[in-house]
Amino acid sequence: KNEVCVAICATIVDDFPHEDLWRRWMENTGGNFTFIAADFGVSGSNDGERTIELKASAELYIHAKNPERVRSEWLRSKTIPISHKPNWNDVRIIRSMLSLTTAALRDDRTTHILFCTESCIPVATLKETVQSILLNEESPWVETMEGERDATAGEANELVYGKRRGMPHWDRSYVDCFDRNSPRCSRFDERSCWDVLRDAIPSEAIYKALPGWCFLSRKHAQSILDLPSHLGGLNVWPAFEQVWAPEEVYFPTALALCGHMEDVLDFGSDITYNNNDDKSGDLLRDHRAVVRRAVTHSQWDERAANHRDRAHPLCYDGRFDHELVKEVRSNGCLFLRKLKQSVDVNLWEKIVIHRRKVDAAGFDTKGSDDVRREERKRGRDWENYHNRGRELDRDWRRGERDRGTRNWRGDRQDFDSRRSGYSDNRENDRDCRRKRDRQDYSDYGSSGWKKRHRR
């Protein structure tokens, strides 16, 4: 295969706030590129690696709850003709995603499917996304920065990345799921998922994905669509009608029913796996057909009062900057959710494509040498201005203090001469005089001289 085509299957209501951003991602960040992957004798090379040339492309498919309200002409051209009118936490979301999958697989070019919503955006280029899913590569942010800068500067149409440990495979899917025995499974999950489905599906085949927006290979997506034909024409999705967040449970459970959860990828080489061998066990985990990894970043408010409030991911509106993207990418994710407001496309390009360290307002947090030199010059000018202001203020305060001390000192000396006649006060008076000599007036109260003259 020489092309990877990712079908972006988005479920929306009637608006797609990141339309321009997704168009820029599909049109400007794909194309032809090459990368170096590990080779375990598949291509006959002796150095254990091979160079792969690919074309990265993407297509958008939209399911709208209210398609008649979609205003964008380009978006209407991407909207499928059927609408299941799903509500929040509704089993019809599963039907919407299955309809999107059917539409995407009609295109023979489609190799992978990404499920998302209108609040998702990409935080990696299309080339980086393709390389990551083919090699199961989790953190390419730092390693590919310089090469990506050269490519975006127009110096090369083909982007050559560094050496990778993984081997490419088109049948990998990415679903961050867990079963009933996992520590991630809460008592609420048991009641709302496993207990609801126990009469319809074997407990060991029930999985929950969090987040539910997974990344499927064409092979696995087709298996899910063909599942009713293996069950005598019986659809599985009606059993999920009472399940909380049914789309988070349906797709990993369907993969388990199809027998893909424990599948091992076939690389066509003489690789043996031994579960008692640590090295072989790591290789087995790396070669699983369904990788337990989230490619879409989502976070939930664990401190919310009830589970309904915890069901909504945290919103990053106004917080999209270099540090957020770097954190998301370091966690192995390629997409970010949730941003309900549109993100400036130029800001997105600076951060994701050009790797500029800018904040949410678009200002450089660490610019080029000229920018840093100008910032230092402005800093020195500002510091000199403040230093001169402090000198003038200090001179004025010194004059005011000297005038106040002269007016006050005569009266104070008369008082001390009378007061020092008492032996008990002599030591205190001596301390007071020492303080006055070093201009320390902390013991004279909050009124009188201190209130008027101490600055």
Side-chain angles (χ1 to χ4, degrees):
K1 298 180 182 180
N2 57 5
E3 181 179 4
V4 175
C5 182
V6 181
I8 309 299
C9 296
T11 305
I12 69 172
V13 179
D14 51 31
D15 188 24
F16 199 56
H18 307 295
E19 174 185 341
D20 295 336
L21 194 154
W22 278 104
R23 292 186 68 175
R24 188 77 58 91
W25 181 78
M26 291 190 296
E27 295 171 1
N28 293 0
T29 68
N32 298 321
F33 74 110
T34 63
F35 61 90
I36 301 174
D39 190 352
F40 299 148
V42 178
S43 64
S45 60
N46 296 324
D47 53 1
E49 62 183 38
R50 55 174 168 164
T51 301
I52 299 176
E53 298 182 2
L54 283 178
K55 179 182 178 182
S57 63
E59 188 58 65
L60 179 66
Y61 298 87
I62 297 290
H63 177 280
K65 178 181 179 179
N66 303 311
E68 68 280 0
R69 298 182 184 177
V70 177
R71 299 179 180 179
S72 169
E73 183 177 351
W74 180 79
L75 205 61
R76 286 199 299 269
S77 67
K78 305 296 182 180
T79 303
I80 62 176
I82 187 173
S83 177
H84 297 283
K85 307 290 183 180
N87 295 319
W88 183 78
N89 197 28
D90 189 352
V91 72
R92 287 176 290 182
I93 297 178
I94 297 177
R95 302 190 65 188
S96 303
M97 297 169 70
L98 291 175
S99 297
L100 285 169
T101 304
T102 303
L105 294 185
R106 290 195 185 105
D107 188 348
D108 295 335
R109 298 182 307 127
T110 301
T111 59
H112 297 82
I113 290 178
L114 170 71
F115 294 116
C116 66
T117 66
E118 68 272 11
S119 61
C120 295
I121 65 169
V123 292
T125 65
L126 182 52
K127 293 177 182 178
E128 291 173 335
T129 301
V130 168
Q131 180 179 342
S132 179
I133 61 175
L134 288 183
L135 300 180
N136 188 19
E137 174 189 79
E138 293 192 359
S139 183
W141 173 260
V142 176
E143 295 173 335
T144 63
M145 178 167 22
E146 296 300 327
E148 184 69 14
R149 284 179 175 175
D150 294 340
T152 55
E155 297 183 6
N157 188 36
E158 295 182 354
L159 180 59
V160 179
Y161 292 100
K163 181 180 178 181
R164 299 300 176 203
R165 179 176 60 88
M167 293 181 62
H169 207 289
W170 271 255
D171 290 339
R172 277 195 183 101
S173 293
Y174 297 88
V175 186
D176 187 18
C177 58
F178 56 90
D179 58 14
R180 191 170 195 168
N181 298 323
S182 171
R184 297 175 60 186
C185 180
S186 65
R187 184 67 188 106
F188 179 85
D189 293 329
E190 291 186 1
R191 293 196 305 268
S192 61
C193 301
W194 278 265
D195 292 350
V196 174
L197 295 171
R198 62 186 175 185
D199 295 333
I201 298 174
S203 178
E204 61 272 12
I206 301 174
Y207 287 82
K208 181 171 183 177
L210 206 64
W213 310 105
C214 49
F215 201 108
L216 300 178
S217 66
R218 182 185 184 95
K219 174 183 177 181
H220 294 159
Q222 188 64 57
S223 295
I224 293 175
L225 293 181
D226 295 341
L227 182 59
S229 63
H230 297 290
L231 300 176
L234 179 65
N235 283 315
V236 181
W237 64 262
F240 293 77
E241 188 170 359
Q242 301 300 322
V243 175
W244 179 272
E247 75 281 357
E248 296 178 354
V249 185
Y250 177 81
F251 286 92
T253 300
L255 287 173
L257 293 175
C258 294
H260 294 309
M261 272 299 176
E262 301 302 327
D263 278 356
V264 178
L265 298 174
D266 181 14
F267 289 92
S269 57
D270 296 331
I271 302 176
T272 59
Y273 305 100
N274 181 5
N275 290 329
N276 297 324
D277 181 24
D278 293 339
K279 184 177 180 180
S280 182
D282 292 338
L283 194 62
L284 175 62
R285 286 189 293 270
D286 291 339
H287 291 178
R288 277 181 173 173
V290 179
V291 182
R292 271 61 159 187
R293 168 191 164 193
V295 296
T296 300
H297 174 84
S298 295
Q299 280 191 338
W300 286 263
D301 187 5
E302 300 295 340
R303 299 174 297 178
N306 54 66
H307 194 84
R308 186 181 181 88
D309 294 334
R310 290 194 297 270
H312 296 284
L314 296 178
C315 187
Y316 293 100
D317 287 338
R319 297 167 54 189
F320 182 78
D321 58 6
H322 171 268
E323 293 300 324
L324 176 61
V325 174
K326 184 177 180 180
E327 178 185 356
V328 171
R329 292 288 299 278
S330 64
N331 293 330
C333 296
L334 307 169
F335 303 90
L336 172 63
R337 185 174 184 260
K338 179 178 189 180
L339 291 109
K340 295 187 289 187
Q341 300 177 2
S342 60
V343 175
D344 182 72
V345 178
N346 294 326
L347 173 64
W348 176 84
E349 277 193 345
K350 287 181 180 180
I351 298 174
V352 175
I353 299 180
H354 302 296
R355 306 297 172 85
R356 293 271 298 277
K357 294 185 178 181
V358 298
D359 57 18
F363 295 106
D364 286 316
T365 57
K366 184 178 181 182
S368 62
D369 293 339
D370 294 336
V371 173
R372 291 195 296 270
R373 191 180 302 110
E374 182 64 25
E375 290 177 349
R376 286 196 297 268
K377 183 178 181 301
R378 287 199 302 267
R380 286 195 300 269
D381 294 342
W382 188 251
E383 184 178 1
N384 293 337
Y385 171 79
H386 274 284
N387 288 339
R388 180 55 182 162
R390 283 193 290 267
E391 291 176 0
L392 295 175
D393 189 52
R394 187 169 56 248
D395 294 342
W396 177 82
R397 291 181 180 181
R398 185 181 293 116
E400 288 290 307
R401 184 185 59 207
D402 292 343
R403 286 191 294 273
T405 303
R406 285 195 299 270
N407 296 336
W408 165 83
R409 188 167 293 169
D411 296 337
R412 188 65 191 180
Q413 286 176 350
D414 294 340
F415 175 80
D416 287 345
S417 63
R418 296 192 300 271
R419 187 170 182 272
S420 60
Y422 300 94
S423 60
D424 294 338
N425 296 327
R426 289 174 185 172
E427 185 175 355
N428 293 336
D429 292 340
R430 196 160 45 246
D431 293 337
C432 290
R433 283 193 295 271
R434 289 171 182 159
K435 287 187 176 182
R436 288 202 307 272
D437 291 340
R438 60 175 181 267
Q439 298 180 355
D440 182 358
Y441 309 108
S442 59
D443 291 339
Y444 291 110
S446 59
S447 61
W449 184 91
K450 177 183 176 184
K451 184 176 182 180
R452 293 191 304 270
H453 300 286
R454 188 183 174 206
R455 304 283 303 261

